Amino acid sequence: MVMKPLTADQIRSSIVNASADEIARMHLPGLHEVVWEERELLGWRDPQGSQRGYIVQWVGDQPVGILLRADSNSLRSGIGAMCSLCHTPQPATQVLMFSAARGGESGREGNSVATYICADLACSIMIRIFPGQSEMLLMRDELVARRSAGLRMRAGRFTDRILETA
Ligand SMILES: [Zn+2]
């Protein structure tokens, strides 16, 4: 139930809420470095200070990709924050408000969905990090499986909201 590998062409054609021009300008991650069996979704940011980021996940046998824009106002530092997808508690500076246009007509009319997500969109990596020496390491596989299921469910709901046309 983890990610099937994606090709660059599949990723470009999976984006449901961007113009052809935005898709052409998209920066892709190094796909040969991705450990697909440890990914619930593929998430990455455009480089060089761009506000853009992307998440792609499989919905049935179809990859669905979403273009996101980070809000330039980050949360007040010093407070705790939590990513709405992976539920990892983090310092506020590592979580950003992202908004995503809805797909199709609805998005072209300006409808979008906004939520807090890990700033680097690397939720699949976050849920596999444990503090060293922790007792949690004994239950690592079980905890990762539980976190993975939660991440897949919440990311799936987010994608559903983007795809909602009503
Ligand atoms: Zn996250």
Side-chain angles (χ1 to χ4, degrees), residues 13 24 39 51 67-68 80 115 123 129 136 140 165:
S13 52
R39 293 288 180 281
Q51 300 297 101
L67 164 66
L68 302 146
T115 192
C123 296
I129 294 175
M136 288 198 296
R140 190 180 187 280
T165 49

Side-chain angles (χ1 to χ4, degrees), residues 55-120:
I55 55 176
V56 182
Q57 58 188 316
W58 287 89
V59 176
D61 54 7
Q62 193 82 348
V64 177
I66 297 169
L67 164 66
L68 302 146
R69 284 189 178 76
D71 193 327
S72 41
N73 305 311
S74 59
L75 291 170
R76 195 156 48 86
S77 62
I79 60 167
M82 192 173 80
C83 168
S84 68
L85 299 185
C86 66
H87 278 189
T88 308
Q90 298 196 71
T93 48
Q94 286 168 41
V95 176
L96 290 173
M97 172 72 90
F98 284 92
S99 64
R102 286 214 153 119
E105 194 65 45
S106 174
R108 284 191 291 276
E109 284 167 8
N111 292 308
S112 65
V113 177
T115 192
Y116 288 101
I117 310 178
C118 294
D120 57 6

Side-chain angles (χ1 to χ4, degrees), residues 123-156:
C123 296
S124 288
I125 294 170
M126 289 307 301
I127 64 166
R128 290 175 171 80
I129 294 175
F130 290 88
Q133 306 291 322
S134 157
E135 281 179 26
M136 288 198 296
L137 286 174
L138 298 172
M139 300 158 51
R140 190 180 187 280
D141 291 351
E142 198 184 318
L143 284 169
V144 168
R146 203 183 307 158
R147 291 177 181 183
S148 173
L151 172 57
R152 262 183 282 123
M153 182 188 70
R154 290 182 292 268

